[in-house]
Amino acid sequence: MHRRESTAPFRDGFTWYRVTEPDEPRDLAPLFVLHGGPGMAHDYVRALEALADLTGRTVVHYDQIGCGRSSHHPDAPVEHWTPALFVDEFHALRAHLGIDEYHVLGQSWGGMLGAEIAVRQPDGILSLLICNSPASMPLWTSEAARLRAELPVAAREALDRHETDGTIDHPDYLAATQVFYERHVCRVVPTPQDFVDSEAQMLDDPTVYHTMNGPNEFHVVGTLRDWSVVDRLEQVLSPTLVVAGEFDEATPATWQPFVDRIPNVRSHVFPGASHCVHLEQPREFLRVVADFLADHP
């Protein structure tokens, strides 16, 4: 594989990106990888660059504006951080790279962003891969509450107590959060370094994550709390793959609308995996993605 990194201008800042090209390239449209969060940077999905040599196509990673190696804007007003901002950023980067036909793979929030891109029916989108993503945040928070109710009593009580007291930075609250994460976010122990790196940069500047999501995966109090793409999914015309893990915080109830409403869609559940299937079962994840892409070259 051959990699090159640079930045592309976007509004009053810039987007950092990495282009990974295969050793034996084929005449195939590139794949854009959209990371989660919002604000978690690309590090934890970095390993998907392996799709370059596996499929013979170029793979593009980038850090969305406000996080990672892209420009940070901690003083931007709350209303600045919208899904439309990130849709515009995607197309600005695509145009900068001169890519007219492409595939989109989004993980977690990245899948939500991928859906926002696809419902607008842009020219050139060949397929959409939605990985571990909900079709609406009300569905997500409802299912998160159900999963949270299944945690050990001590963890549940710590979460409830510190959220009520407003002390969500307390060590006991953070420890209880980790119990949820090890069940439903990433079941690999110790946590893979790529995930640690993404989380560390988010904690260093949590502007985007805290503004749009909230303090953690199940206490969603940010601007995305009412977000939904459910009533627009019939507008997704590109072939779509929806994947999730058996123990995913993105439960079947959260992604079923994708399957029910997107006209050309298939789904796959990875047994024994949770939210970060690509870190827990990397070979199987890459195989499923590569097989889907092979059907839509």
Side-chain angles (χ1 to χ4, degrees):
M1 293 183 290
H2 309 279
R3 305 174 185 85
R4 58 184 174 90
E5 301 178 4
S6 189
T7 60
F10 178 64
R11 298 192 181 180
D12 58 346
F14 61 87
T15 302
W16 173 93
Y17 64 89
R18 176 188 292 120
V19 176
T20 304
E21 297 174 341
D23 287 333
E24 298 181 5
R26 300 166 59 195
D27 187 18
L28 297 171
L31 172 70
F32 282 87
V33 177
L34 312 182
H35 66 72
M40 284 291 287
H42 87 288
D43 304 74
Y44 80 102
V45 289
R46 176 167 37 203
L48 298 189
E49 68 178 11
L51 288 164
D53 277 346
L54 187 60
T55 67
R57 73 181 69 242
T58 295
V59 176
V60 181
H61 285 83
Y62 68 100
D63 286 343
Q64 295 158 25
I65 199 87
C67 74
R69 298 152 187 82
S70 293
S71 58
H72 289 228
H73 305 269
D75 298 325
V78 169
E79 58 270 20
H80 176 76
W81 305 107
T82 66
L85 170 74
F86 296 98
V87 173
D88 290 347
E89 180 189 26
F90 168 79
H91 286 298
L93 175 59
R94 181 185 58 75
H96 176 82
L97 294 173
I99 296 173
D100 297 324
E101 291 190 324
Y102 51 92
H103 302 265
V104 173
L105 183 156
Q107 200 278 335
S108 194
W109 148 254
M112 298 158 63
L113 175 56
E116 285 281 359
I117 291 168
V119 297
R120 291 162 166 80
Q121 301 177 3
D123 292 337
I125 186 169
L126 300 179
S127 78
L128 172 64
L129 297 90
I130 298 173
C131 306
N132 321 97
S133 310
S136 88
M137 289 307 280
L139 286 173
W140 174 276
T141 54
S142 174
E143 286 296 281
R146 181 178 65 80
L147 296 176
R148 175 171 163 160
E150 297 172 357
L151 294 177
V153 173
R156 295 202 313 267
E157 290 179 346
L159 294 173
D160 292 342
R161 180 171 65 255
H162 290 292
E163 286 172 4
T164 299
D165 295 344
T167 52
I168 57 176
D169 56 350
H170 192 280
D172 289 348
Y173 183 83
L174 299 178
T177 299
Q178 190 63 26
V179 174
F180 182 95
Y181 279 30
E182 290 179 359
R183 285 189 175 200
H184 302 296
V185 179
C186 185
R187 295 168 73 88
V188 179
V189 180
T191 304
Q193 189 60 45
D194 283 349
F195 188 96
V196 172
D197 291 344
S198 277
E199 188 172 48
Q201 68 77 36
M202 182 275 289
L203 293 172
D204 189 53
D205 179 6
T207 301
V208 181
Y209 186 76
H210 284 185
T211 299
M212 297 184 73
N213 184 81
N216 55 49
E217 294 291 282
F218 50 81
H219 190 44
V220 180
V221 293
T223 59
L224 282 178
R225 61 186 177 274
D226 297 320
W227 175 87
S228 176
V229 74
V230 172
D231 62 355
R232 294 174 283 156
L233 289 175
E234 286 84 357
Q235 300 169 44
V236 178
L237 302 183
S238 52
T240 301
L241 173 67
V242 178
V243 304
E246 178 185 4
F247 301 108
D248 206 324
E249 59 180 337
T251 66
T254 70
W255 50 260
Q256 189 63 39
F258 292 129
V259 178
D260 291 341
R261 292 173 175 261
I262 294 176
N264 184 0
V265 64
R266 70 176 77 162
S267 62
H268 182 89
V269 175
F270 294 87
S274 66
H275 194 55
C276 291
V277 179
H278 64 285
L279 295 175
E280 299 165 348
Q281 300 179 13
R283 290 185 180 179
E284 183 65 8
F285 182 87
L286 292 174
R287 183 193 67 78
V288 170
V289 168
D291 287 350
F292 176 78
L293 290 172
D295 289 342
H296 305 285

PDB file of all heavy atoms in Angstrom, residues 124-144:
ATOM      1  N   GLY A 124     -22.741  10.333  -8.489  1.00  0.00           N
ATOM      2  CA  GLY A 124     -21.490   9.611  -8.312  1.00  0.00           C
ATOM      3  C   GLY A 124     -21.448   8.620  -7.185  1.00  0.00           C
ATOM      4  O   GLY A 124     -20.516   7.810  -7.117  1.00  0.00           O
ATOM      5  N   ILE A 125     -22.419   8.606  -6.274  1.00  0.00           N
ATOM      6  CA  ILE A 125     -22.377   7.639  -5.182  1.00  0.00           C
ATOM      7  C   ILE A 125     -22.808   6.280  -5.713  1.00  0.00           C
ATOM      8  O   ILE A 125     -23.878   6.130  -6.292  1.00  0.00           O
ATOM      9  CB  ILE A 125     -23.238   8.076  -3.974  1.00  0.00           C
ATOM     10  CG1 ILE A 125     -23.044   7.102  -2.810  1.00  0.00           C
ATOM     11  CG2 ILE A 125     -24.706   8.238  -4.346  1.00  0.00           C
ATOM     12  CD1 ILE A 125     -23.647   7.597  -1.497  1.00  0.00           C
ATOM     13  N   LEU A 126     -21.948   5.274  -5.538  1.00  0.00           N
ATOM     14  CA  LEU A 126     -22.181   3.946  -6.101  1.00  0.00           C
ATOM     15  C   LEU A 126     -22.735   2.965  -5.089  1.00  0.00           C
ATOM     16  O   LEU A 126     -23.469   2.047  -5.443  1.00  0.00           O
ATOM     17  CB  LEU A 126     -20.883   3.406  -6.701  1.00  0.00           C
ATOM     18  CG  LEU A 126     -20.269   4.246  -7.828  1.00  0.00           C
ATOM     19  CD1 LEU A 126     -18.985   3.607  -8.320  1.00  0.00           C
ATOM     20  CD2 LEU A 126     -21.252   4.427  -8.973  1.00  0.00           C
ATOM     21  N   SER A 127     -22.374   3.126  -3.822  1.00  0.00           N
ATOM     22  CA  SER A 127     -22.942   2.279  -2.772  1.00  0.00           C
ATOM     23  C   SER A 127     -22.725   2.936  -1.423  1.00  0.00           C
ATOM     24  O   SER A 127     -21.890   3.834  -1.278  1.00  0.00           O
ATOM     25  CB  SER A 127     -22.330   0.871  -2.787  1.00  0.00           C
ATOM     26  OG  SER A 127     -21.040   0.864  -2.196  1.00  0.00           O
ATOM     27  N   LEU A 128     -23.504   2.469  -0.455  1.00  0.00           N
ATOM     28  CA  LEU A 128     -23.443   2.988   0.907  1.00  0.00           C
ATOM     29  C   LEU A 128     -23.319   1.808   1.861  1.00  0.00           C
ATOM     30  O   LEU A 128     -24.077   0.843   1.758  1.00  0.00           O
ATOM     31  CB  LEU A 128     -24.712   3.784   1.222  1.00  0.00           C
ATOM     32  CG  LEU A 128     -24.916   4.247   2.670  1.00  0.00           C
ATOM     33  CD1 LEU A 128     -23.834   5.240   3.075  1.00  0.00           C
ATOM     34  CD2 LEU A 128     -26.309   4.869   2.829  1.00  0.00           C
ATOM     35  N   LEU A 129     -22.352   1.890   2.774  1.00  0.00           N
ATOM     36  CA  LEU A 129     -22.175   0.860   3.796  1.00  0.00           C
ATOM     37  C   LEU A 129     -22.376   1.510   5.160  1.00  0.00           C
ATOM     38  O   LEU A 129     -21.602   2.391   5.571  1.00  0.00           O
ATOM     39  CB  LEU A 129     -20.789   0.216   3.707  1.00  0.00           C
ATOM     40  CG  LEU A 129     -20.491  -0.545   2.404  1.00  0.00           C
ATOM     41  CD1 LEU A 129     -19.868   0.398   1.368  1.00  0.00           C
ATOM     42  CD2 LEU A 129     -19.555  -1.712   2.644  1.00  0.00           C
ATOM     43  N   ILE A 130     -23.429   1.101   5.864  1.00  0.00           N
ATOM     44  CA  ILE A 130     -23.794   1.660   7.161  1.00  0.00           C
ATOM     45  C   ILE A 130     -23.405   0.650   8.229  1.00  0.00           C
ATOM     46  O   ILE A 130     -23.972  -0.445   8.298  1.00  0.00           O
ATOM     47  CB  ILE A 130     -25.299   1.964   7.232  1.00  0.00           C
ATOM     48  CG1 ILE A 130     -25.676   3.014   6.186  1.00  0.00           C
ATOM     49  CG2 ILE A 130     -25.696   2.422   8.629  1.00  0.00           C
ATOM     50  CD1 ILE A 130     -27.184   3.253   6.082  1.00  0.00           C
ATOM     51  N   CYS A 131     -22.426   1.002   9.054  1.00  0.00           N
ATOM     52  CA  CYS A 131     -21.860   0.058  10.015  1.00  0.00           C
ATOM     53  C   CYS A 131     -22.124   0.518  11.446  1.00  0.00           C
ATOM     54  O   CYS A 131     -21.647   1.582  11.860  1.00  0.00           O
ATOM     55  CB  CYS A 131     -20.344  -0.084   9.786  1.00  0.00           C
ATOM     56  SG  CYS A 131     -19.901  -0.511   8.083  1.00  0.00           S
ATOM     57  N   ASN A 132     -22.933  -0.262  12.182  1.00  0.00           N
ATOM     58  CA  ASN A 132     -23.150  -0.013  13.618  1.00  0.00           C
ATOM     59  C   ASN A 132     -23.796   1.340  13.869  1.00  0.00           C
ATOM     60  O   ASN A 132     -23.408   2.057  14.787  1.00  0.00           O
ATOM     61  CB  ASN A 132     -21.818  -0.101  14.375  1.00  0.00           C
ATOM     62  CG  ASN A 132     -20.916  -1.211  13.882  1.00  0.00           C
ATOM     63  OD1 ASN A 132     -20.019  -0.969  13.082  1.00  0.00           O
ATOM     64  ND2 ASN A 132     -21.142  -2.417  14.346  1.00  0.00           N
ATOM     65  N   SER A 133     -24.814   1.669  13.082  1.00  0.00           N
ATOM     66  CA  SER A 133     -25.398   3.017  13.128  1.00  0.00           C
ATOM     67  C   SER A 133     -26.904   2.965  13.331  1.00  0.00           C
ATOM     68  O   SER A 133     -27.576   2.075  12.802  1.00  0.00           O
ATOM     69  CB  SER A 133     -25.103   3.767  11.828  1.00  0.00           C
ATOM     70  OG  SER A 133     -23.739   3.712  11.488  1.00  0.00           O
ATOM     71  N   PRO A 134     -27.447   3.956  14.048  1.00  0.00           N
ATOM     72  CA  PRO A 134     -28.896   4.049  14.191  1.00  0.00           C
ATOM     73  C   PRO A 134     -29.502   4.924  13.098  1.00  0.00           C
ATOM     74  O   PRO A 134     -28.837   5.794  12.537  1.00  0.00           O
ATOM     75  CB  PRO A 134     -29.054   4.729  15.545  1.00  0.00           C
ATOM     76  CG  PRO A 134     -27.872   5.665  15.612  1.00  0.00           C
ATOM     77  CD  PRO A 134     -26.744   4.941  14.902  1.00  0.00           C
ATOM     78  N   ALA A 135     -30.781   4.692  12.825  1.00  0.00           N
ATOM     79  CA  ALA A 135     -31.505   5.527  11.879  1.00  0.00           C
ATOM     80  C   ALA A 135     -32.134   6.731  12.566  1.00  0.00           C
ATOM     81  O   ALA A 135     -32.598   7.657  11.901  1.00  0.00           O
ATOM     82  CB  ALA A 135     -32.590   4.719  11.167  1.00  0.00           C
ATOM     83  N   SER A 136     -32.154   6.718  13.895  1.00  0.00           N
ATOM     84  CA  SER A 136     -32.626   7.892  14.644  1.00  0.00           C
ATOM     85  C   SER A 136     -32.042   7.866  16.043  1.00  0.00           C
ATOM     86  O   SER A 136     -31.816   6.788  16.610  1.00  0.00           O
ATOM     87  CB  SER A 136     -34.158   7.944  14.712  1.00  0.00           C
ATOM     88  OG  SER A 136     -34.663   7.237  15.822  1.00  0.00           O
ATOM     89  N   MET A 137     -31.810   9.055  16.599  1.00  0.00           N
ATOM     90  CA  MET A 137     -31.282   9.119  17.957  1.00  0.00           C
ATOM     91  C   MET A 137     -32.335   8.805  19.021  1.00  0.00           C
ATOM     92  O   MET A 137     -31.991   8.249  20.066  1.00  0.00           O
ATOM     93  CB  MET A 137     -30.637  10.480  18.208  1.00  0.00           C
ATOM     94  CG  MET A 137     -29.326  10.666  17.449  1.00  0.00           C
ATOM     95  SD  MET A 137     -28.129   9.329  17.743  1.00  0.00           S
ATOM     96  CE  MET A 137     -27.451   9.848  19.333  1.00  0.00           C
ATOM     97  N   PRO A 138     -33.614   9.115  18.812  1.00  0.00           N
ATOM     98  CA  PRO A 138     -34.597   8.632  19.795  1.00  0.00           C
ATOM     99  C   PRO A 138     -34.602   7.110  19.915  1.00  0.00           C
ATOM    100  O   PRO A 138     -34.724   6.570  21.019  1.00  0.00           O
ATOM    101  CB  PRO A 138     -35.926   9.170  19.244  1.00  0.00           C
ATOM    102  CG  PRO A 138     -35.530  10.447  18.558  1.00  0.00           C
ATOM    103  CD  PRO A 138     -34.207  10.131  17.907  1.00  0.00           C
ATOM    104  N   LEU A 139     -34.438   6.396  18.794  1.00  0.00           N
ATOM    105  CA  LEU A 139     -34.322   4.944  18.867  1.00  0.00           C
ATOM    106  C   LEU A 139     -33.070   4.543  19.630  1.00  0.00           C
ATOM    107  O   LEU A 139     -33.079   3.614  20.450  1.00  0.00           O
ATOM    108  CB  LEU A 139     -34.295   4.345  17.461  1.00  0.00           C
ATOM    109  CG  LEU A 139     -35.610   4.307  16.686  1.00  0.00           C
ATOM    110  CD1 LEU A 139     -35.368   3.839  15.255  1.00  0.00           C
ATOM    111  CD2 LEU A 139     -36.622   3.406  17.378  1.00  0.00           C
ATOM    112  N   TRP A 140     -31.973   5.249  19.350  1.00  0.00           N
ATOM    113  CA  TRP A 140     -30.696   4.958  20.009  1.00  0.00           C
ATOM    114  C   TRP A 140     -30.794   5.133  21.521  1.00  0.00           C
ATOM    115  O   TRP A 140     -30.377   4.272  22.289  1.00  0.00           O
ATOM    116  CB  TRP A 140     -29.634   5.875  19.430  1.00  0.00           C
ATOM    117  CG  TRP A 140     -28.280   5.835  20.076  1.00  0.00           C
ATOM    118  CD1 TRP A 140     -27.871   6.516  21.192  1.00  0.00           C
ATOM    119  CD2 TRP A 140     -27.141   5.081  19.636  1.00  0.00           C
ATOM    120  NE1 TRP A 140     -26.550   6.240  21.470  1.00  0.00           N
ATOM    121  CE2 TRP A 140     -26.082   5.364  20.525  1.00  0.00           C
ATOM    122  CE3 TRP A 140     -26.913   4.212  18.572  1.00  0.00           C
ATOM    123  CZ2 TRP A 140     -24.813   4.805  20.387  1.00  0.00           C
ATOM    124  CZ3 TRP A 140     -25.655   3.651  18.429  1.00  0.00           C
ATOM    125  CH2 TRP A 140     -24.613   3.938  19.331  1.00  0.00           C
ATOM    126  N   THR A 141     -31.350   6.258  21.957  1.00  0.00           N
ATOM    127  CA  THR A 141     -31.415   6.524  23.393  1.00  0.00           C
ATOM    128  C   THR A 141     -32.379   5.579  24.094  1.00  0.00           C
ATOM    129  O   THR A 141     -32.135   5.166  25.237  1.00  0.00           O
ATOM    130  CB  THR A 141     -31.824   7.989  23.662  1.00  0.00           C
ATOM    131  OG1 THR A 141     -33.048   8.284  22.961  1.00  0.00           O
ATOM    132  CG2 THR A 141     -30.758   8.950  23.185  1.00  0.00           C
ATOM    133  N   SER A 142     -33.460   5.215  23.423  1.00  0.00           N
ATOM    134  CA  SER A 142     -34.396   4.255  24.004  1.00  0.00           C
ATOM    135  C   SER A 142     -33.722   2.902  24.215  1.00  0.00           C
ATOM    136  O   SER A 142     -33.853   2.278  25.294  1.00  0.00           O
ATOM    137  CB  SER A 142     -35.610   4.090  23.090  1.00  0.00           C
ATOM    138  OG  SER A 142     -36.466   3.071  23.560  1.00  0.00           O
ATOM    139  N   GLU A 143     -32.967   2.441  23.211  1.00  0.00           N
ATOM    140  CA  GLU A 143     -32.281   1.161  23.327  1.00  0.00           C
ATOM    141  C   GLU A 143     -31.107   1.238  24.310  1.00  0.00           C
ATOM    142  O   GLU A 143     -30.822   0.277  25.020  1.00  0.00           O
ATOM    143  CB  GLU A 143     -31.805   0.697  21.956  1.00  0.00           C
ATOM    144  CG  GLU A 143     -32.915   0.184  21.069  1.00  0.00           C
ATOM    145  CD  GLU A 143     -33.564  -1.062  21.649  1.00  0.00           C
ATOM    146  OE1 GLU A 143     -32.986  -2.154  21.522  1.00  0.00           O
ATOM    147  OE2 GLU A 143     -34.650  -0.936  22.252  1.00  0.00           O
ATOM    148  N   ALA A 144     -30.447   2.388  24.352  1.00  0.00           N
ATOM    149  CA  ALA A 144     -29.361   2.561  25.322  1.00  0.00           C
ATOM    150  C   ALA A 144     -29.890   2.461  26.750  1.00  0.00           C
ATOM    151  O   ALA A 144     -29.238   1.883  27.625  1.00  0.00           O
ATOM    152  CB  ALA A 144     -28.671   3.902  25.103  1.00  0.00           C
TER     153      ALA A 144
END
